[in-house]
Amino acid sequence: PTVSLENLMSAEECFANAVNDFVVAVEVEPNSVSAKGNLGNALLARGVALRALRDATAERLFGSSSSPSKAFGGLSEEDVRFYGETAEDALVDAGKYFRCVAVEDRAADEKEQAFSSSSIAVIVALIAWGRALSQRGALVRDDAEVFNLYDSENEEGDSVIESNLADASKLFLAAAEKHRAAIEKCASAEEDESNKHLVQSRRIEAYCRWGEALESAAECEFMLRSDKERELWMAASGAYGESERLGEESGAATAGIERCEAKLDDDTA
């Protein structure tokens, strides 16, 4: 269902308030892993809302025209750019806090056994870090569509599209690496029998997210005509397949396999 601009603005304001609250929490307890993780989650949620705001504002302002009006209903092209830039900032900051959780803090581990590289917190942070990178990739990838550059017939527009796709592919591949790292952490975390069920559910999610990131990178490489897309689609299908084998129940992994296999069949034909 379509979400109204007003609802998106309200959601973004709520997430911005949450960010402010968790910033205070981190300032009060700078060594708190949970506070940093919560701040990262709030920043990620705000970045997702801002990306949606950018796209919805562009749709209302630009429509299908490559020559948008300067303003519509109090909105302008500057609002579109502001939402996009602010989304990027929020997602970059989210990644920084997820990194704080994901990177092993040896001092804390030695003194308090607060967390280790095999903990659930680290796995969750790596998956969330990958999600933030994928959101950044989508933000860059969709920039040309938002501003209707695909409708332009000038070389400058083509150059921007190509550059955006290349940058987006790198971000998606970086996201894939975080999900792969999360899967590796699951192996050591599973040694603790009390964590086994939680670890399994995170492993299933990580494989599916890994597939999504690889598939998104493949789409970018396909549009760039780089000849890398086939290998990426095969890898994505494999990741989705492992998620499905382990028990993914939402259907996302199965749908991902079907999309990748269809692309591979088209590429062979």
Side-chain angles (χ1 to χ4, degrees), residues 183 186 190 197 199-208 210 238-249 253-254 257:
I183 292 164
C186 286
E190 202 172 36
H197 178 70
V199 171
Q200 181 71 343
S201 65
R202 293 302 179 181
R203 180 188 280 115
I204 291 168
E205 178 186 3
Y207 269 113
C208 195
W210 190 18
Y240 283 133
E242 192 63 13
S243 179
E244 184 184 51
R245 184 187 70 80
L246 291 169
E248 201 274 354
E249 296 178 354
T254 302
I257 293 170

Side-chain angles (χ1 to χ4, degrees), residues 77-254:
E77 185 173 339
E78 287 305 308
D79 291 304
V80 179
R81 296 191 183 281
F82 171 77
Y83 289 138
E85 290 167 4
T86 310
E88 170 71 8
D89 291 342
L91 293 167
V92 169
D93 287 344
K96 290 177 182 177
Y97 284 102
F98 291 136
R99 183 180 185 279
C100 287
V101 179
V103 173
E104 184 175 8
D105 187 337
R106 296 185 186 279
D109 187 40
E110 290 173 3
K111 292 179 181 179
E112 304 174 12
Q113 292 295 314
F115 69 100
S116 69
S117 60
S118 62
S119 70
I120 295 295
V122 172
I123 296 168
V124 171
L126 284 167
I127 293 172
W129 191 1
R131 288 181 58 206
L133 285 163
S134 282
Q135 283 290 324
R136 289 176 60 196
L139 195 67
V140 174
R141 177 198 61 199
D142 297 342
D143 200 54
E145 184 175 351
V146 164
F147 290 101
N148 293 313
L149 294 184
Y150 287 105
D151 295 335
S152 68
E153 297 181 357
N154 58 70
E155 292 184 4
E156 183 178 355
D158 291 342
S159 177
V160 170
I161 292 170
E162 187 172 323
S163 176
N164 284 359
L165 287 170
D167 289 344
S169 181
K170 291 175 184 176
L171 286 164
F172 287 128
L173 290 173
E177 281 303 299
K178 299 299 175 285
H179 297 309
R180 183 187 60 78
I183 292 164
E184 291 179 353
K185 295 294 184 186
C186 286
S188 54
E190 202 172 36
E191 294 173 7
D192 182 352
E193 287 293 326
S194 63
N195 284 336
K196 205 159 188 177
H197 178 70
L198 285 173
V199 171
Q200 181 71 343
S201 65
R202 293 302 179 181
R203 180 188 280 115
I204 291 168
E205 178 186 3
Y207 269 113
C208 195
R209 298 280 187 189
W210 190 18
E212 289 171 354
L214 290 168
E215 183 185 4
S216 294
E219 294 291 346
C220 291
E221 295 298 333
F222 174 74
M223 295 178 74
L224 287 167
R225 299 176 182 175
S226 69
D227 295 328
K228 298 177 183 177
E229 66 273 11
R230 185 172 181 80
E231 180 181 352
L232 288 167
W233 273 320
M234 290 176 67
S237 180
Y240 283 133
E242 192 63 13
S243 179
E244 184 184 51
R245 184 187 70 80
L246 291 169
E248 201 274 354
E249 296 178 354
S250 71
T254 302

